[in-house]
Amino acid sequence: MKSELIEQAYQLAKARYADYGVDTDKVLEQLQNFHLSLHCWQADDVKGFEVQAGAMSGGIQSTGDFPGAARNIDELRQDILKAKSLIPGNHRLNLHEIYGDFKGKVVDRDEVTVEYFESWIQWAKENNTKLDFNSSSFSHPKSGSLSLANPDESIRKFWVEHTKRCRDIANAMGEAQNDPCIMNLWVHDGCKDVSVNHALYRNTLKKSLDEIFEKKQPCMKDCIEGKVFGIGLESFTVGSHDFYTAYAAQNDKILTIDTGHYHPTESPADKVSAVLPFIKELMLHVSRPVRWDSDHVTIMDDPTQELFFEIVRANALDRVHYGLDFFDGSINRIGAYVIGSRSAQKCMLRALLEPKEYISKLELAGEGYKVLALIEEQKAMPWQAVYDMFCLKNNVPVGQEFIADIDKYVADVTSKR
Ligand code: RNT
Ligand code: ZN
């Protein structure tokens, strides 16, 4: 699209929003400071680079075998940089432990050290990217159905050791980048069928977390992620949302809200204002559940939009970390990153453009129908012109123009894999 047209459309949009007292120039600045954490695992369907890697397990599943997935660390880095070049703004990279640079060595999960992430730290510095981190409990011979909640002391200790080491790595990343590395802890622990030991497993998980978090780590922050169920673990999840909410509140941890981890009619957005009086910060895993926790690519659907509205309405912009968590192997994976990231940004943009104070005053004055009218009007306001301007300013393709770039990348790079 011609830049004069984008400029003209932006000026019209700016005037429309000014009518509601919204300053779009200011919103563009806010959007510039909104950093997503791109999950490395969309690039290769959550396989990672362990030499000894086996089949995927742990209640999660990636479906599809679209050609061109990254097969090694260089290809993954190349793909991430390509995706980043098509997403306006600057964004973090969220690594899982299984994506270490193991250089052909078998390194078990309880042996991992920062040495295997030095090249990532270097790469991140060179590419002006901050890193976040995750311990990995899945796809391992000791994963089974219980890891940190396992009453078998030797297995439990193995995963405690893994997670402690991951915190050391995250801390080293945070120190190197001079900004805290956010480390997410999710374990799949649960039961396929009925069990009489729910309390035992939960007490065991609590004990493991207490041991893991004993060490003070000044350059990283811990977040903990619950879930409703995993595949093959349908009857019971040890680390449920309630479990981790209570743990986070009591132990001053960040709570991770994965939008795919609730009952289908439960609203993740509604959790924001419910937990923020008790929990200082949130981490998001923005995803899209289709009938189950299927991890489809994020789009501008109602639950995602509502989530970003709730964050902005709660004045909590700086209390939230914005991770993505989807893995669709059935479509072009760079396309998946670009669509998911841009959709999350657009939801944030629409939330920032809402004339919140104005609508709030009407609501408090009992003007119910006017509130509804304004919320409906906002849906068709020209926010797209503001997003196009954001892309133009950031020197990335505007609108669907990124498709041609991805086609070229397929022709030049991924089709040769
Ligand atoms: C699984 C959790 C978890 C993973 C990633 C790979 O249900 O959402 O966050 O998707 O850690
Ligand atoms: Zn998640």
Side-chain angles (χ1 to χ4, degrees):
M1 220 195 311
K2 284 214 187 79
S3 47
E4 304 91 83
L5 277 182
I6 295 165
E7 189 66 57
Q8 279 173 14
Y10 177 70
Q11 290 307 330
L12 288 175
K14 184 173 162 163
R16 293 286 309 273
Y17 280 106
D19 268 354
Y20 289 96
V22 174
D23 178 349
T24 53
D25 290 341
K26 204 177 129 218
V27 168
L28 282 177
E29 277 170 34
Q30 284 179 297
L31 201 58
Q32 202 71 52
N33 292 323
F34 168 59
H35 307 291
L36 295 165
S37 191
L38 300 185
H39 53 315
C40 71
W41 51 95
Q42 166 61 54
D44 74 335
D45 312 336
V46 211
K47 290 197 177 77
F49 306 131
E50 284 182 326
V51 174
Q52 70 278 26
M56 196 168 184
S57 71
I60 50 175
Q61 200 169 62
S62 164
T63 54
D65 57 355
F66 195 83
R71 295 166 300 180
N72 52 52
I73 207 161
D74 293 333
E75 291 180 356
L76 186 129
R77 286 174 179 166
Q78 191 181 12
D79 289 359
I80 296 286
L81 289 180
K82 184 69 209 175
K84 285 189 78 174
S85 75
L86 301 174
I87 303 165
N90 191 15
H91 303 285
R92 305 171 73 96
L93 179 66
N94 201 2
L95 289 174
H96 244 287
E97 184 272 344
I98 54 174
Y99 288 78
D101 188 355
F102 300 115
K103 299 192 172 76
K105 259 209 266 174
V106 173
V107 179
D108 207 351
R109 306 255 176 114
D110 65 341
E111 295 166 343
V112 67
T113 60
V114 71
E115 180 193 340
Y116 304 105
F117 289 88
E118 292 295 1
S119 75
W120 272 118
I121 292 172
Q122 191 56 35
W123 177 91
K125 196 180 278 174
E126 284 160 13
N127 292 287
N128 189 25
T129 299
K130 291 192 170 129
L131 297 174
D132 293 316
F133 200 54
N134 300 257
S135 51
S136 314
S137 72
F138 50 86
S139 309
H140 184 276
K142 288 197 171 75
S143 294
S145 51
L146 294 166
S147 61
L148 291 177
N150 206 317
D152 178 329
E153 232 358 55
S154 73
I155 296 184
R156 191 184 75 81
K157 285 270 181 221
F158 176 88
W159 291 111
V160 167
E161 181 63 28
H162 167 71
T163 320
K164 284 182 173 175
R165 284 168 178 258
C166 286
R167 290 182 82 233
D168 289 339
I169 296 166
N171 196 67
M173 288 174 170
E175 199 175 353
Q177 66 198 17
N178 208 10
D179 187 66
C181 169
I182 311 297
M183 184 181 131
N184 190 55
L185 189 161
W186 166 73
V187 292
H188 56 278
D189 296 36
C191 301
K192 181 182 170 79
D193 218 326
V194 289
S195 136
V196 296
N197 282 314
H198 292 187
L200 169 68
Y201 301 140
R202 286 195 166 131
N203 289 330
T204 309
L205 179 55
K206 179 184 181 299
K207 179 168 116 182
S208 295
L209 295 177
D210 291 347
E211 287 170 24
I212 289 163
F213 296 139
E214 226 161 65
K215 181 166 171 187
K216 292 261 170 299
Q217 300 275 21
C219 303
M220 57 85 71
K221 292 184 181 183
D222 296 292
C223 47
I224 47 184
E225 178 184 12
K227 180 164 179 168
V228 65
F229 80 96
I231 301 174
L233 304 164
E234 291 87 356
S235 296
F236 173 66
T237 302
V238 185
S240 61
H241 176 73
D242 295 334
F243 176 92
Y244 282 123
T245 305
Y247 193 94
Q250 194 174 56
N251 297 281
D252 201 13
K253 298 292 169 198
I254 301 176
L255 183 70
T256 300
I257 294 185
D258 183 312
T259 55
H261 286 196
Y262 301 93
H263 291 283
T265 57
E266 192 177 354
S267 162
D270 189 49
K271 306 195 181 301
V272 172
S273 63
V275 301
L276 279 180
F278 312 101
I279 289 174
K280 281 195 206 127
E281 291 175 70
L282 296 175
M283 170 72 171
L284 301 183
H285 272 189
V286 187
S287 183
R288 177 165 51 108
V290 178
R291 303 197 185 279
W292 67 288
D293 181 23
S294 56
D295 292 295
H296 280 62
V297 177
T298 293
I299 56 173
M300 293 185 73
D301 55 7
D302 289 350
T304 312
Q305 184 59 69
E306 210 47 41
L307 175 63
F308 286 96
F309 272 134
E310 280 300 298
I311 293 165
V312 177
R313 289 171 185 162
N315 277 325
L317 274 175
D318 53 357
R319 292 171 68 187
V320 183
H321 306 274
Y322 302 92
L324 300 173
D325 184 13
F326 46 81
F327 31 100
D328 188 344
S330 75
I331 57 174
N332 180 292
R333 295 169 184 80
I334 315 286
Y337 275 124
V338 178
I339 295 163
S341 306
R342 285 183 173 225
S343 296
Q345 281 183 316
K346 289 179 199 170
C347 287
M348 176 53 95
L349 172 63
R350 282 194 55 202
L352 293 169
L353 288 168
E354 184 178 64
K356 184 170 70 110
E357 281 80 24
Y358 183 36
I359 301 179
S360 165
K361 271 193 196 130
L362 291 169
E363 181 179 322
L364 297 175
E367 301 274 17
Y369 98 88
K370 293 183 187 170
V371 170
L372 207 52
L374 286 177
I375 287 176
E376 285 305 286
E377 282 303 312
Q378 293 308 307
K379 291 180 180 167
M381 286 286 286
W383 55 265
Q384 189 194 22
V386 182
Y387 190 73
D388 287 348
M389 189 59 177
F390 185 60
C391 289
L392 187 70
K393 274 183 171 239
N394 280 277
N395 232 342
V396 302
V398 175
Q400 63 179 11
E401 282 165 9
F402 70 81
I403 292 176
D405 276 76
I406 294 180
D407 279 351
K408 185 166 186 312
Y409 190 69
V410 170
D412 295 349
V413 181
T414 57
S415 63
K416 308 207 166 112
R417 290 181 182 163

